[in-house]
């Protein structure tokens, strides 16, 4: 698959939903992409190919859409899968990180035994917006003993400057808006 083909698939299969979940937000809906086998596999192959099989020990998926992308990346890159979830969802002992949203706060958690010391960790999510979620997740990985090798997202909303929240980390986006 060429880069141009992937760009076209992404343009076609990521749907803008204006004013969802609140007025003023344009929600990037990836469900058409997930339902298209060619587009879905092309995306997973790109994520895996950027780092390469065997370069990562754990792939972290961020609840909820990050899970859908991170699990097949983990399978193909030859790594384990680790969920980062919203507060209160993980059953065992956790580390938690809170961060600011436009209105209010959010808290994410990871199991304290999710990583072995020095595990190389790739963080995967659907959208990088303000970067708060990715930054909190990177901090959770570090606290739990992992080493973040990068952050892979399907879509980067560049106008929100989320990259600046994860300085020094490789941010790999398949589509920039
Ligand atoms: P942020 O912490 O601002 O970078 O937001 C990233 C998280 O919120 C990701 O887990 C996304 O799934 C979700 N998100 C933020 N903005 C959007 C958007 N415009 N469309 C879809 N998901 C979004």
């Amino acid at each position: 698959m060429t880069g141009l083909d992937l760009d076209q698939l992404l343009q076609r299969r990521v749907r803008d939903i204006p004013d969802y979940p609140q007025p003023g937000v344009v929600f990037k809906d990836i469900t058409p992409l997930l339902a298209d086998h060619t587009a879905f596999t092309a995306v997973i192959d790109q994520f895996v190919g950027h780092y390469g099989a065997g370069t990562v020990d754990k792939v972290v998926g961020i609840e909820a859409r990050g899970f859908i992308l991170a699990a097949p990346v983990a399978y193909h890159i030859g790594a384990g899968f680790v969920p980062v979830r919203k507060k209160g969802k993980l059953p065992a002992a956790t580390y938690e990180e809170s961060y600011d949203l436009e209105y209010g706060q959010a808290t994410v958690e990871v199991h304290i035994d999710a990583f072995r010391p020095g595990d190389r960790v790739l963080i995967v999510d659907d959208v990088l917006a303000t970067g708060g979620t990715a930054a909190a997740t990177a901090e959770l990985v570090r606290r739990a003993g992992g080493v973040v090798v990068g952050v892979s997202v399907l879509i980067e909303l560049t106008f929100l400057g989320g990259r600046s929240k994860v300085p020094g980390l490789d941010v790999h986006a398949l589509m920039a808006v």
Side-chain angles (χ1 to χ4, degrees), residues 101-118:
L101 299 173
E102 195 175 356
Y103 300 103
Q105 271 209 331
T107 301
V108 285
E109 295 183 315
V110 74
H111 279 146
I112 62 171
D113 60 356
F115 308 107
R116 285 181 307 225

Side-chain angles (χ1 to χ4, degrees), residues 25-29 62-63 65 99 101 125-134 157:
V25 174
V26 178
F27 189 85
K28 296 291 181 184
D29 176 21
I62 302 175
E63 187 173 3
R65 290 176 297 281
Y99 58 100
L101 299 173
D125 204 359
D126 62 337
V127 173
L128 182 76
T130 66
T133 310
L157 305 180

Side-chain angles (χ1 to χ4, degrees), residues 63-165:
E63 187 173 3
R65 290 176 297 281
F67 293 171
I68 300 164
L69 300 171
V73 171
Y75 180 89
H76 287 287
I77 213 166
F81 169 82
V82 171
V84 160
R85 301 206 63 180
K86 288 159 190 155
K87 186 175 170 65
K89 301 283 190 180
L90 286 171
T94 62
Y95 293 117
E96 64 177 62
E97 282 288 325
S98 296
Y99 58 100
D100 290 329
L101 299 173
E102 195 175 356
Y103 300 103
Q105 271 209 331
T107 301
V108 285
E109 295 183 315
V110 74
H111 279 146
I112 62 171
D113 60 356
F115 308 107
R116 285 181 307 225
D119 264 358
R120 298 163 298 174
V121 179
L122 173 62
I123 296 169
V124 173
D125 204 359
D126 62 337
V127 173
L128 182 76
T130 66
T133 310
T137 301
E139 189 53 31
L140 284 176
V141 172
R142 290 186 198 110
R143 284 176 62 194
V147 177
V148 182
V149 300
V151 178
S152 287
V153 294
L154 205 46
I155 304 149
E156 179 182 4
L157 305 180
T158 52
F159 57 94
L160 294 174
R163 271 173 195 263
S164 64
K165 293 266 183 64

Side-chain angles (χ1 to χ4, degrees), residues 9-73:
L9 278 173
L10 289 169
Q11 295 291 344
R12 232 173 263 163
R13 297 290 184 236
V14 175
R15 177 164 66 182
D16 282 356
I17 310 290
D19 299 320
Y20 182 88
Q22 58 193 57
V25 174
V26 178
F27 189 85
K28 296 291 181 184
D29 176 21
I30 65 166
T31 59
L33 185 146
L34 298 174
D36 178 339
H37 175 257
T38 303
F40 191 15
T41 54
V43 160
I44 300 306
D45 288 349
Q46 285 289 317
F47 281 145
V48 171
H50 183 74
Y51 292 98
T55 61
V56 167
D57 301 304
K58 299 271 166 47
V59 178
V60 164
I62 302 175
E63 187 173 3
R65 290 176 297 281
F67 293 171
I68 300 164
L69 300 171
V73 171

